[in-house]
Amino acid sequence: SRDALKPSTLVADYARGLIAAMQTAAVPRLAIISAAVLFPLRGPVYAFFRWLLRHHARDLAAMEQQVRASGLAWTIARPGRLVESADEQCRAAAGTYPAHGRTMSFRAVAGFLVDAVERRSHVHEIVGLAR
């Protein structure tokens, strides 16, 4: 069908509804996950994944634009490939992806986001995360 050929906007649609609900409920703080593929990283691995995930990356970029324009106190986390692991190690870099990063555990990303909200840190920042 023709709809199957349209680029996905599921994440952007979700963000639009989430932001509206937060504004209605007067909840001022948002911490959300995006993806490292949006950083302008160089090299064949990054180029391949940027190409492979291009539709999802467009959706994530639209989501990020909505979050930045929301008026909320936001933090956008851009981890590399997420893996299931008990590892809680996390390197964070505001505005860029940590050097030599590849993967990150779901647990470490969740820990970073909770810490950012509790400590009121990384407000209005896009933060690259890696192990």
Side-chain angles (χ1 to χ4, degrees), residues 106-122:
F106 291 98
R107 179 183 302 247
V109 173
F112 169 81
L113 291 173
V114 169
D115 285 348
V117 170
E118 286 181 345
R119 295 178 183 173
R120 295 179 176 97
S121 63
H122 298 290

Side-chain angles (χ1 to χ4, degrees), residues 4 13 17 19 26 28 30-31 38 41 52 86 88 103 106 115 120 125:
D13 292 345
I19 291 164
L30 174 61
L38 295 181
L41 302 169
L52 181 67
E88 295 184 19
T103 64
F106 291 98
D115 285 348
R120 295 179 176 97
E125 287 185 343

Side-chain angles (χ1 to χ4, degrees), residues 17-31 72-73:
L18 175 64
I19 291 164
M22 290 180 72
Q23 290 169 335
T24 298
V27 175
R29 187 69 165 100
L30 174 61
L72 299 172

